[in-house]
Amino acid sequence: MFTPARIAAAGLLAALAAGAAACGGTPAGAESGKGPAPQRIASPPLYFQNSDRPPQQVRTVLRTREDVARFPDWFARPSGDSTMAEGIAAGLRKADLSRNVVVAYTTDTGCGTAGGAELVASGNQLDLRLLDHPAPPPECYAPNAVTALFEVDRDRMPADPVFGPDREAPDPPAPARLVAFAEVEGAVEPRVEPQADVTDGARLDGYLARLPSRTADELRREVAGGTVPEQERRLAFVVSGCRLTGAELVRSEEGPLAVRPVGGETVRCVRAEHYVAVFTVPASLAPVPPR
């Protein structure tokens, strides 16, 4: 947790690093003297925002229309404030995905802010270079963050991009990740909640105990060893259809996450088949309270 003193120090360091970057030096957070010099590959951004309520720390590459449609869910808030998500969606509508990809990058700036940014690459490492940064205030009670989206020509995009000096792999385009999917044995409707929090092992075991044994065993195998980070929750959903191949989570108009079947669009069946899909999602987006 940031104390005012720690935030002030972090903001000062971020501003100094960004200042060097704006003058042609090292991008904020990058390590100098290692690898080729960073080269600008995109500017100005499709979308740029300073926030005093740090959004999801997401860094990823959007390559398809489906990626673009689902990406704003990272920034939808359970409180119902969709201003940032709507701004991101509007920016993404300008992207030409026939020739380009979109790189999304968020980073903390401590107490500082920036007036703009550009995307730079050193080999396959992508970094955010902050521009037009005033001196940060001496202290603040919450850290700031910058979110920027860039349209990058596919020919200039590294084949296997990583983000920042820690060389992190890209996040998924959407906040939810499908970790297990299984058909309910016997085509019977399962006697479980339509959606349930199964983050901890005891809750998962209790949920699986109410499913047919073969279905439970398959789901247990798929989530075996899958620990859930502190900042995430694991959610189980029942989804129905015919010959489904998977499921995905989307934001419904009412706000909570809703499950959508994948596959089976042209298949008809006498009785609907039932499936259980298990996802991990950021805790701030999880609509299901622990029980």
Side-chain angles (χ1 to χ4, degrees):
M1 182 175 180
F2 277 90
T3 65
R6 287 177 181 165
I7 295 173
L12 179 60
L13 290 173
L16 290 174
C23 296
T26 305
E31 298 180 48
S32 59
K34 295 186 179 181
Q39 300 293 320
R40 184 177 66 188
I41 61 171
S43 182
L46 287 171
Y47 173 89
F48 180 84
Q49 180 67 47
N50 288 283
S51 174
D52 60 0
R53 294 182 300 166
Q56 299 292 333
Q57 291 291 302
V58 57
R59 299 170 182 180
T60 193
V61 182
L62 311 178
R63 303 179 185 276
T64 68
R65 279 293 160 199
E66 183 180 8
D67 290 347
V68 163
R70 298 177 62 202
F71 176 76
D73 284 346
W74 277 112
F75 302 90
R77 296 183 180 275
S79 64
D81 180 3
S82 59
T83 304
M84 192 167 186
E86 289 171 357
I88 287 171
L92 287 172
R93 283 195 285 272
K94 306 171 190 174
D96 179 4
L97 294 180
S98 65
R99 297 181 303 168
N100 306 317
V101 299
V102 175
V103 174
Y105 206 123
T106 64
T107 190
D108 290 324
T109 56
C111 287
T113 59
E118 56 190 19
L119 187 69
V120 298
S122 176
N124 71 333
Q125 178 179 317
L126 303 179
D127 286 286
L128 193 64
R129 178 179 284 166
L130 302 178
L131 307 171
D132 304 326
H133 44 83
E139 63 178 29
C140 55
Y141 292 96
N144 294 320
V146 158
T147 300
L149 306 180
F150 298 91
E151 196 170 15
V152 182
D153 190 298
R154 290 178 183 268
D155 292 337
R156 302 193 69 188
M157 189 68 189
D160 297 299
V162 294
F163 288 83
D166 293 332
R167 299 183 60 81
E168 297 174 346
D171 292 307
R177 182 169 61 91
L178 182 66
V179 296
F181 184 79
E183 183 177 354
V184 178
E185 184 183 354
V188 296
E189 189 168 356
R191 292 181 293 178
V192 293
E193 300 91 340
Q195 55 186 50
D197 187 299
V198 293
T199 301
D200 64 54
R203 196 174 287 126
L204 176 64
D205 289 342
Y207 183 88
L208 295 179
R210 288 177 285 156
L211 293 172
S213 59
R214 189 178 303 171
T215 304
D217 289 345
E218 184 175 347
L219 291 169
R220 187 175 284 108
R221 280 195 303 271
E222 292 189 27
V223 301
T227 57
V228 182
E230 254 183 65
Q231 68 274 20
E232 292 186 356
R233 298 252 292 281
R234 183 166 55 198
L235 307 178
F237 292 80
V238 175
V239 56
S240 301
C242 297
R243 303 295 186 269
L244 300 186
T245 57
E248 61 184 12
L249 286 186
V250 296
R251 281 265 168 182
S252 69
E253 292 181 0
E254 293 74 25
L257 291 170
V259 67
R260 182 165 66 190
V262 173
E265 292 86 355
T266 60
V267 179
R268 298 290 180 268
C269 48
V270 177
R271 288 191 302 170
E273 299 164 350
H274 304 288
Y275 302 78
V276 173
V278 181
F279 297 86
T280 56
V281 301
S284 61
L285 297 182
V288 182
R291 298 186 178 186

